[in-house]
């Protein structure tokens, strides 16, 4: 009996937690929701069909912060964004859509009078993500000791 109980406890998925210096924030048509536990990373990875679950240890030691990017109106998941601690500062790391699709850029195709031209340009989501990074830095600085 005891061995079955121990096995059950060992097999139970742990839901480890960590903090975010910024709560969910709405920027334009997007909501950036901080993911602050193993369960939320697993759910995000499953819904977005990518490997964000593997970032658990980096989140737990405060090297990475992960945000689920959602449509502000429907709450539909659009992307997953990560910040990375680098050179004593939080920086933009990456942002990926479902199955790691690119969401930072969008193709613009038009006819210039002579030929069809295709250009790549940053998406609105890219600029919203940069604003999130700035907001996170401000929130983090507000939490820091004065001598930092």
């Amino acid at each position: 009996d005891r061995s079955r109980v121990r096995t059950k406890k060992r097999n139970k998925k742990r839901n480890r937690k960590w903090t975010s210096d910024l709560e969910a924030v709405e920027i334009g048509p997007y909501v950036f929701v901080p993911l602050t536990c193993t369960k939320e990373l697993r759910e995000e990875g499953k819904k977005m069909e990518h490997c964000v679950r593997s970032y658990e240890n980096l989140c737990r030691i405060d090297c990475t912060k992960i945000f689920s990017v959602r449509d502000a109106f429907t709450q539909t998941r659009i992307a997953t964004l990560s910040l990375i601690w680098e050179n004593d500062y939080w920086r933009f790391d990456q942002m990926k859509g479902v199955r790691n699709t690119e969401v930072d850029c969008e193709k613009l195709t038009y006819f210039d009078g002579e030929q069809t031209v295709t250009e790549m340009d940053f998406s609105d989501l890219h600029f919203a993500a940069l604003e999130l990074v700035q907001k996170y830095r401000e929130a983090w600085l507000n939490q820091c000791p004065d001598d930092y």
Side-chain angles (χ1 to χ4, degrees):
D1 252 334
R2 284 186 182 185
S3 64
R4 274 193 285 150
V5 171
R6 276 190 221 137
T7 304
K8 255 187 179 178
K9 283 184 181 179
R10 240 184 272 132
N11 290 339
K12 184 181 177 191
K13 291 180 181 172
R14 294 176 112 174
N15 188 28
R16 301 202 167 167
K17 298 180 179 187
W18 49 89
T19 62
S20 172
D21 291 319
L22 188 64
E23 297 295 320
V25 61
E26 191 170 324
I27 300 172
Y30 310 106
V31 175
F32 294 83
V33 179
L35 304 181
T36 58
C37 67
T38 307
K39 181 181 174 187
E40 292 172 348
L41 284 182
R42 273 195 305 264
E43 184 178 312
E44 183 79 1
K46 187 174 182 179
K47 298 276 186 185
M48 297 298 288
E49 299 180 46
H50 56 47
C51 68
V52 74
R53 166 68 172 91
S54 66
Y55 284 66
E56 176 188 348
N57 289 333
L58 293 171
C59 291
R60 287 180 50 225
I61 62 171
D62 266 350
C63 288
T64 299
K65 299 295 181 182
I66 306 291
F67 286 82
S68 178
V69 184
R70 301 175 186 181
D71 179 278
F73 183 69
T74 65
Q75 293 299 308
T76 304
R77 293 170 200 264
I78 297 170
T80 307
L81 175 141
S82 65
L83 305 180
I84 189 167
W85 181 253
E86 189 175 71
N87 299 324
D88 293 333
Y89 217 59
W90 287 106
R91 301 183 187 284
F92 178 85
D93 181 33
Q94 62 180 335
M95 184 169 49
K96 300 289 182 177
V98 176
R99 291 185 217 102
N100 288 324
T101 55
E102 290 299 324
V103 293
D104 279 359
C105 296
E106 51 195 10
K107 273 187 193 177
L108 302 173
T109 303
Y110 59 92
F111 186 73
D112 71 359
E114 294 179 19
Q115 62 184 353
T116 301
V117 178
T118 300
E119 295 178 350
M120 296 299 284
D121 200 6
F122 287 115
S123 65
D124 290 343
L125 180 53
H126 173 81
F127 294 107
L130 294 181
E131 189 174 331
L132 174 85
V133 173
Q134 189 58 42
K135 287 181 182 293
Y136 196 90
R137 287 175 180 162
E138 290 168 9
W140 174 77
L141 284 170
N142 288 334
Q143 300 294 326
C144 281
D146 291 335
D147 60 344
Y148 195 84

